Amino acid sequence: MTTAGIDPGEHRSVAELEDLAYELRRKLLELCGTYEGAVHIGGDMSVADILTALFQHGLRVDPSDISNPNRDRFLLSKGHAAVCMYIAMAIRGFFEYDDIVATYGQLDSAYGMHPCKVQLPGVEASTGSLGHGLPLAVGMALSARGRGEKHRVITLLGDGETGEGSVWEAVMAGRSNRLGNLVAIVDRNRQLMTSFAEERVMFEPYPDKWRAFGWNVVEIDGHDMSQLVDAIDSLPDTDSDVPTVLVCETVKGKGVDFMERNLAWHAGSLNPTDLERALASLDASRTKENA
Amino acid sequence: MPETFTFGDMLSARSVIGETLAAEGAKRDNLWVLTPDIGATLVEFRDTFPDRFIDVGLAEQACVGIAAGLAYDGNISVVSGMLPFLSMRALEQVRSDVCYPNLPVKIIGTHGGLVGNGGSTHYAVEDLSLMASLTNMTVTSIGDPVMVGEVLRQSMEMSGPIYIRLAVGKKDKVLYAPGEHDIRIGRGIVARDGSDVTLFTHGTTVAQALDAADELAKEGVSVRVVDMWTLKPIDAELVIRSASETDGRFVVLEDHLTYGGLATRISDVVTDNGVNLTSFERLGIPQVYAGFGDDEELRNKHGYGLSHTVDALRRAVQAQEATR
């Protein structure tokens, strides 16, 4: 899939993308050890591989030409993972990582807990309240279709977020309007803020719910970079009739043993000692996966 | 004995919307029209520009979100529907998806006030309060069906959002002759000039206000009727001027809760500018769920019908000037 006018960027191997995902996680933890307020580190870590696959591989975007009409549009529907997106965009060249660290959450910073397009050009939409990204993406996909543009509109949702009724309104609208240029990615980490998802909300059989609404459903391991790359590279043609959802099985807090599947780490901050522990755990998990 | 009429006849007064949008759509290839299954007023646009007409079915939240997504991408979106649902069910989308990024999404609809015998699920009686509280939102309420076209045309030139509340159904009266008034967003209309008392109103009750002014004229009382059809930004200059030109006597009549709508916005102007009034009375919907009945019956029941308006104007002109 190529889009006129936008260089897809360097062709990176899966191993290189894995290195960039590690770098993203490391920077996330460092920010969590710098900022005194809470960072949504659990949900950030669960989408680090997805956002790496998008910003360092899949998305046709150009940091030096953020208004190019042919760019792919990416909307972070789960806006609380903003830090992960900011850093992924910094790695791609949109922003300076040091600026993010220096100003995050400060008065007049462009980098806040939830992304704001007005404050931070390059971000495609102001999000944060859950269940808003997919309707916005449907609108952008309709716009692209209406103009005959060939780019994709991709939005990343949390699985808990898909409890919002507005998501399913947009799921129906996306299919009804035959938006093959529309892609939803679900971070299926199976945790809500204060409970494990299935204990409170019966999401399963989850992919079948999307199938029943007529979407093209692709189920992958959201931490397996080769599966992510394959899924993104295999998306149907933008002129096709059926929107696609990538249901990505993930682990909230992925990469740090004491954060993984731990309800306490929906959000938090790290003192220097725990930052060292977290970074050591990240390194250990990486060594294990490379073995 | 009822006369035969159909759903199409009931909505025929709204054809000005469809015709205006179709004309604007021909000039602007970035104009989209969206509706949650309330598309009867939009047929001219739908039939002319089917690719830019989106009916999402019964899904107000997605409708407004999709409209915002289109507007993010350089389009102008018009969302047409029933206001109780657009103003409440989709309120968060209006606030966070439209107003926060200040996008050109134009929300237009019917069922503002106690209209249509729908019951309280189908009356928008809080909508002007809700919309006026949103940063970046322009808020209007229009009683003259022909004027709707002019306001829609003007709204196309605005970079941000607008809320347009309409009178409903076939009872609409054409209030103003073409060119009679300078219609500009943010400017009130002096629908009838007068010197003894000012009656402020908007939308569905403008016609009633003019009838009340006729009654008072028979008693030798000169009532200024101000159609304050833009509630936000309010025409503060006209409010202040009317205080001095009508002896500080104000009555506000509206098909909305008496608190949070036009009366509140006028009282804000009065307070913020240190305007001295002789009298101030609000006529509108009290804090009740209003029940069923036709428009006129409901206004009479809830204290803002024609006779109530006439009585309030009489009280206003009889009020003694406060000792200052």
Side-chain angles (χ1 to χ4, degrees):
Chain A
M1 61 177 210
T2 56
T3 300
I6 305 270
D7 185 340
E10 295 172 55
H11 261 292
R12 294 191 174 96
S13 68
V14 167
E16 288 171 308
L17 291 170
E18 286 170 345
D19 287 345
L20 291 172
Y22 167 78
E23 183 188 339
L24 173 55
R25 284 198 169 85
R26 200 176 166 85
K27 284 182 155 69
L28 276 167
L29 292 172
E30 285 167 354
L31 184 75
C32 205
T34 306
Y35 179 61
E36 291 182 358
V39 174
H40 284 100
I41 193 70
D44 286 331
M45 298 293 268
S46 77
V47 297
D49 299 300
I50 296 167
L51 287 178
T52 297
L54 287 171
F55 277 99
Q56 321 314 334
H57 170 73
L59 288 177
R60 269 57 182 176
V61 289
D62 181 350
S64 65
D65 186 12
I66 59 172
S67 299
N68 190 312
N70 295 312
R71 73 194 186 279
D72 286 338
R73 310 296 198 270
F74 174 75
L75 295 89
L76 185 69
S77 193
K78 53 171 286 182
H80 54 288
V83 172
C84 194
M85 180 177 71
Y86 300 152
I87 298 174
M89 292 178 79
I91 292 171
R92 178 65 182 259
F94 281 87
F95 316 127
E96 292 294 331
Y97 173 69
D98 290 346
D99 287 345
I100 301 171
V101 176
T103 71
Y104 177 74
Q106 310 293 324
L107 183 65
D108 295 334
S109 173
Y111 306 102
M113 185 183 287
H114 302 101
C116 174
K117 182 184 169 74
V118 178
Q119 304 284 343
L120 188 62
V123 165
E124 294 288 358
S126 301
T127 53
S129 177
L130 298 174
H132 289 242
L134 193 58
L136 294 172
V138 169
M140 292 184 186
L142 282 166
S143 178
R145 180 65 61 84
R147 292 185 185 138
E149 294 166 355
K150 302 299 183 190
H151 60 265
R152 289 180 204 285
V153 183
I154 301 175
T155 185
L156 175 60
L157 304 88
D159 57 347
E161 174 183 3
T162 62
E164 300 283 1
S166 54
V167 172
W168 299 99
E169 292 183 8
V171 169
M172 281 204 272
R175 179 67 185 90
S176 301
N177 288 285
R178 300 181 174 80
L179 297 174
N181 55 351
L182 174 66
V183 179
I185 302 178
V186 177
D187 172 32
R188 180 81 172 111
N189 63 30
R190 297 171 183 260
Q191 283 182 231
L192 311 179
M193 185 163 70
T194 54
S195 62
F196 293 96
E198 300 298 323
E199 291 177 355
R200 293 284 177 265
V201 183
M202 196 181 288
F203 286 95
E204 289 293 330
Y206 190 73
D208 288 347
K209 289 188 164 65
W210 291 83
R211 279 189 199 97
F213 281 74
W215 281 49
N216 173 39
V217 181
V218 180
E219 297 176 61
I220 57 172
D221 177 344
H223 299 307
D224 183 320
M225 192 57 72
S226 65
Q227 286 190 35
L228 283 164
V229 166
D230 283 350
I232 293 168
D233 290 349
S234 306
L235 287 169
D237 192 272
T238 54
D239 289 331
S240 65
D241 279 352
V242 181
T244 293
V245 57
L246 309 183
V247 179
C248 299
E249 284 289 340
T250 57
V251 173
K252 200 163 173 176
K254 174 69 176 179
V256 175
D257 52 7
F258 61 86
M259 291 180 176
E260 288 188 2
R261 297 191 179 86
N262 181 348
L263 292 173
W265 278 102
H266 173 76
S269 188
L270 289 165
N271 68 23
T273 306
D274 287 331
L275 174 61
E276 286 309 309
R277 280 175 62 213
L279 291 171
S281 176
L282 181 66
D283 285 345
S285 73
R286 188 184 189 213
T287 307
K288 197 168 115 193
E289 280 176 16
N290 288 347
Chain B
M1 186 77 75
E3 59 182 298
T4 299
F5 64 90
T6 67
F7 195 55
D9 295 330
M10 284 170 68
L11 296 164
S12 61
R14 306 268 61 81
S15 65
V16 64
I17 301 173
E19 287 167 7
T20 303
L21 291 176
E24 290 298 308
K27 285 190 280 183
R28 303 164 192 277
D29 61 9
N30 67 337
L31 177 63
W32 290 67
V33 175
L34 303 93
T35 183
D37 192 34
I38 307 289
T41 62
L42 307 171
V43 287
E44 291 87 350
F45 187 92
R46 181 194 68 194
D47 294 347
T48 315
F49 304 106
D51 293 343
R52 290 188 270 138
F53 175 80
I54 303 295
D55 183 348
V56 296
L58 300 167
E60 287 80 10
Q61 297 175 74
C63 193
V64 174
I66 292 166
L70 283 159
Y72 263 124
D73 215 32
N75 300 289
I76 298 171
S77 299
V78 173
V79 177
S80 179
M82 283 174 64
L83 298 179
F85 317 127
L86 289 177
S87 70
M88 292 189 289
R89 197 182 200 112
L91 177 60
E92 198 204 355
Q93 280 75 16
V94 173
R95 186 267 203 182
S96 293
D97 297 344
V98 173
C99 292
Y100 179 27
N102 198 21
L103 296 173
V105 175
K106 322 298 177 183
I107 297 169
I108 185 166
T110 57
H111 292 70
L114 303 184
V115 292
N117 188 32
S120 286
T121 59
H122 283 59
Y123 302 142
V125 301
E126 309 90 347
D127 60 317
L128 299 172
S129 177
L130 297 168
M131 289 297 144
S133 67
L134 301 179
T135 299
N136 290 332
M137 182 60 94
T138 294
V139 181
T140 66
S141 170
I142 301 173
D144 181 308
V146 180
M147 195 176 139
V148 172
E150 177 57 27
V151 175
L152 260 179
R153 279 189 289 278
Q154 289 185 24
S155 78
M156 298 292 136
E157 306 291 341
M158 296 168 55
S159 58
I162 187 171
Y163 180 82
I164 304 173
R165 182 204 233 218
L166 303 177
V168 68
K170 60 180 182 177
K171 289 183 180 171
D172 291 359
K173 293 180 186 170
V174 176
L175 301 169
Y176 309 124
E180 183 182 353
H181 297 289
D182 180 15
I183 292 166
R184 272 185 284 169
I185 293 168
R187 291 290 186 86
I189 292 172
V190 179
R192 170 87 47 89
D193 208 357
S195 55
D196 294 327
V197 55
T198 301
L199 176 56
F200 293 97
T201 190
H202 58 81
T204 47
T205 47
V206 177
Q208 179 181 306
L210 292 168
D211 290 344
D214 287 343
E215 287 294 312
L216 270 289
K218 292 176 193 164
E219 301 167 17
V221 176
S222 169
V223 179
R224 171 180 292 186
V225 176
V226 172
D227 179 354
M228 197 62 97
W229 64 278
T230 308
L231 283 84
K232 183 189 172 193
I234 190 106
D235 188 346
E237 187 275 332
L238 180 55
V239 174
I240 295 165
R241 183 158 54 85
S242 294
S244 66
E245 292 175 355
T246 65
D247 200 24
R249 300 170 198 273
F250 282 1
V251 175
V252 186
L253 166 68
E254 59 186 324
D255 206 357
H256 185 273
L257 295 179
T258 49
Y259 289 85
L262 179 62
T264 291
R265 302 202 69 79
I266 287 175
S267 73
D268 286 348
V269 172
V270 167
T271 309
D272 291 350
N273 293 280
V275 174
N276 286 311
L277 292 185
T278 305
S279 68
F280 183 88
E281 184 166 347
R282 303 165 192 252
L283 296 176
I285 306 167
Q287 291 269 315
V288 297
Y289 293 100
F292 305 104
D294 73 23
D295 308 1
E296 192 177 339
E297 289 168 336
L298 287 166
R299 286 184 208 169
N300 287 333
K301 176 178 178 181
H302 293 294
Y304 65 107
L306 176 59
S307 66
H308 302 95
T309 309
V310 168
D311 289 345
L313 290 167
R314 287 184 184 133
R315 282 193 291 277
V317 294
Q318 287 161 5
Q320 297 297 310
E321 198 168 328
T323 311
R324 294 181 183 138

